[in-house]
Amino acid sequence: MIDIQKIRADFPILAQEINEKPLAYLDNAATSQKPKQVIRALTHYYEFDNANVHRGVHTLAARATDAFESARAKVAKFIHAREVAEIIFTRGTTSAINLVVDSYGNANIEAGDEIVISYLEHHSNLIPWQQLAKRKGAVLKYIELEEDGTISIEQAEKTITEKTKIVALAHVSNVLGTITPIKEIAALAHKVGAVILVDGAQAVPHMEVDVVDLDADFYAFSGHKMMAPTGIGALYGKRELLDKMEPTEFGGEMIDFVELYDSTWKELPWKFEAGTPIIGGAIALGAAIDYLTEIGIDTIHAYEQELVSYAIEQMSVLEGITIYGPTDASKRCGLVTFNIEGAHPHDVATILDEDGVAIRAGHHCAQPLMKWLDVSSTARASFYIYNTKEEIDALIEGLKLTKEYFGL
């Protein structure tokens, strides 16, 4: 059995009070908090090992390079990539997706080709494909959602055709928490010769991800949602695809030979990592993976599902609250999105903050999904391994006060 209080003690930020109330941080889908082990890894690099990587022969450069590349190996192992060279460090999910769009997409999409996404997508996995389709004269298609906001294999099969060249889907919705059947949809994509990119920003921190078993061609995620610093993330890509792709940024680090009128690139993964990389962030991401691995990702997922079930159960008792997405916790990851009839989500979040409860309110960078839900915005409570049922109780009490405040 996991000791949640022991885990919470690793997160200095959780010990504070907000408005003289204990902080209940329930905004983990936006960004996670950082344990002291990750903070120490970052400060240790800057205090003892700060140097540029790969080219230097002095001791600090060697230590920095070893730590940086060790972090890459940890990422590869964590998502079960076949080899370390298939892991490219990026600024996060958004930059990883844009890399694929600008390299693979520009080279392989032509007029009339189809790009398939869904209404669930975060803007970072929608706008880049939207712009590519406009540039190339391609067709952007959306998989219809089921009534509970899930993606079914049947709807995916209807949407993916012989003209489909790229399928790009969120593994877990940042609004509904719904889990997409990526493995089955990847098989549909490959059957027609298409590739699949997966936005794993909300999946990798919360559940077991095996990119080989999923047969994902590309898989993108961010460090800051999995206890690492902001500004670091990763792109996984199958070697046979990455080898054929051209870099999208050029400069130092990524070159092999430079002549006056032509240049050649380094091998994978460095040909996609122009300039000085985010060294400290990558090292801290490695420390975050160590931390998550020690707890166990399956343990984290199971505990979060307990929290989600409890939150849905408690919210369902309150009148005037609409919960979006499936009520079956097994169909979603650790978040609950909702609205109170007669109260704007921003007002709900503001009143909750007065009681020390931090949630997110707005369109969550998913405006097409808001339109599908027939709302302009929602409130969202999202959980991680350091959250407790007592914090959900504080959320529920805050919702009751909100209803009283507005006379609902």
Side-chain angles (χ1 to χ4, degrees):
M1 186 168 178
I2 52 175
D3 186 342
I4 299 301
Q5 293 307 316
K6 182 180 178 183
I7 290 172
R8 286 178 63 83
D10 288 334
F11 294 81
I13 199 169
L14 299 180
Q16 67 180 293
E17 291 188 343
I18 301 293
N19 297 317
E20 300 181 345
K21 300 288 180 63
L23 169 62
Y25 183 79
L26 305 179
D27 193 21
N28 294 285
T31 197
S32 65
Q33 298 303 338
K34 323 304 175 192
K36 57 191 178 185
Q37 292 88 338
V38 170
I39 297 168
R40 286 172 184 166
L42 186 63
T43 57
H44 183 277
Y45 163 71
Y46 284 114
E47 289 177 351
F48 298 102
D49 300 333
N50 183 43
N52 216 324
V53 293
H54 298 140
R55 294 177 304 237
V57 296
H58 56 79
T59 299
L60 293 186
R63 292 206 305 242
T65 299
D66 288 346
F68 180 73
E69 292 301 336
S70 173
R72 193 192 307 274
K74 290 176 184 179
V75 172
K77 183 178 180 181
F78 194 65
I79 62 170
H80 303 279
R82 288 185 182 87
E83 55 178 309
V84 176
E86 294 177 317
I87 302 300
I88 299 159
F89 281 129
T90 68
R91 296 192 310 277
T93 306
T94 300
S95 62
I97 293 170
N98 275 276
L99 190 162
V100 175
V101 170
D102 293 341
S103 183
Y104 184 88
N106 275 331
N108 291 278
I109 292 295
E110 298 177 353
D113 289 344
E114 294 175 353
I115 302 168
V116 172
I117 60 176
S118 82
Y119 292 99
L120 292 177
E121 304 315 311
H122 188 283
H123 294 162
S124 63
N125 197 35
L126 190 158
I127 298 171
W129 302 112
Q130 183 188 80
Q131 298 305 304
L132 176 65
K134 288 170 67 175
R135 289 197 305 270
K136 293 286 191 171
V139 179
L140 189 62
K141 296 174 68 177
Y142 289 80
I143 299 174
E144 291 290 340
L145 303 180
E146 299 299 320
E147 287 186 9
D148 63 355
T150 56
I151 293 178
S152 69
I153 299 166
E154 292 74 22
Q155 287 294 340
E157 195 166 17
K158 288 180 183 178
T159 312
I160 297 168
T161 73
E162 294 292 333
K163 292 184 178 180
T164 303
K165 294 296 184 291
I166 296 174
V167 177
L169 297 172
H171 200 166
V172 171
S173 167
N174 73 304
V175 176
L176 302 179
T178 47
I179 302 171
T180 304
I182 292 297
K183 184 175 180 177
E184 293 80 1
I185 296 175
L188 293 175
H190 295 149
K191 187 177 179 180
V192 299
V195 301
I196 183 168
L197 175 141
V198 184
D199 170 1
Q202 299 292 340
V204 173
H206 303 287
M207 57 188 281
E208 180 78 14
V209 171
D210 185 329
V211 293
V212 174
D213 181 63
L214 294 172
D215 204 12
D217 298 294
F218 302 102
Y219 198 103
F221 63 96
S222 299
H224 73 95
K225 296 182 190 295
M226 53 186 292
M227 303 186 185
T230 54
I232 185 68
L235 171 68
Y236 158 82
K238 290 180 179 177
R239 172 179 275 279
E240 57 266 32
L241 296 174
L242 295 175
D243 275 336
K244 295 175 184 176
M245 289 164 53
E246 285 294 303
T248 57
E249 291 186 328
F250 304 90
E253 288 282 345
M254 52 79 65
I255 55 89
D256 189 10
F257 290 101
V258 176
E259 299 189 21
L260 290 179
Y261 301 105
D262 202 5
S263 300
T264 56
W265 319 132
K266 274 186 180 176
E267 67 272 28
L268 290 175
W270 303 291
K271 75 173 183 178
F272 292 110
E273 296 178 358
T276 298
I278 308 152
I279 304 166
I283 293 169
L285 173 58
I289 288 172
D290 289 341
Y291 189 87
L292 294 171
T293 301
E294 184 176 350
I295 297 171
I297 198 70
D298 289 337
T299 299
I300 292 170
H301 184 62
Y303 179 70
E304 287 177 4
Q305 289 198 315
E306 283 184 32
L307 294 179
V308 167
S309 293
Y310 183 73
I312 291 174
E313 177 185 309
Q314 297 301 309
M315 282 187 190
S316 298
V317 176
L318 303 178
E319 291 185 8
I321 290 189
T322 300
I323 298 172
Y324 301 100
T327 54
D328 181 354
S330 68
K331 293 184 177 181
R332 61 160 81 208
C333 267
L335 62 86
V336 180
T337 294
F338 62 95
N339 270 329
I340 298 179
E341 185 179 354
H344 193 282
H346 287 153
D347 293 329
V348 174
T350 299
I351 293 172
L352 288 171
D353 184 60
E354 289 296 315
D355 281 338
V357 180
I359 68 163
R360 178 70 43 165
H363 56 64
H364 314 294
C365 297
Q367 288 179 321
L369 181 55
M370 295 295 111
K371 187 175 181 180
W372 186 85
L373 292 170
D374 196 26
V375 296
S376 62
S377 57
T378 63
R380 181 186 69 195
S382 50
F383 315 114
Y384 215 170
I385 187 64
Y386 42 69
N387 290 126
T388 65
K389 288 183 179 179
E390 288 75 17
E391 290 178 319
I392 294 173
D393 291 339
L395 167 66
I396 298 302
E397 289 304 309
L399 295 179
K400 290 177 182 177
L401 286 173
T402 302
K403 285 167 59 64
E404 290 177 12
Y405 180 85
F406 286 104
L408 302 174

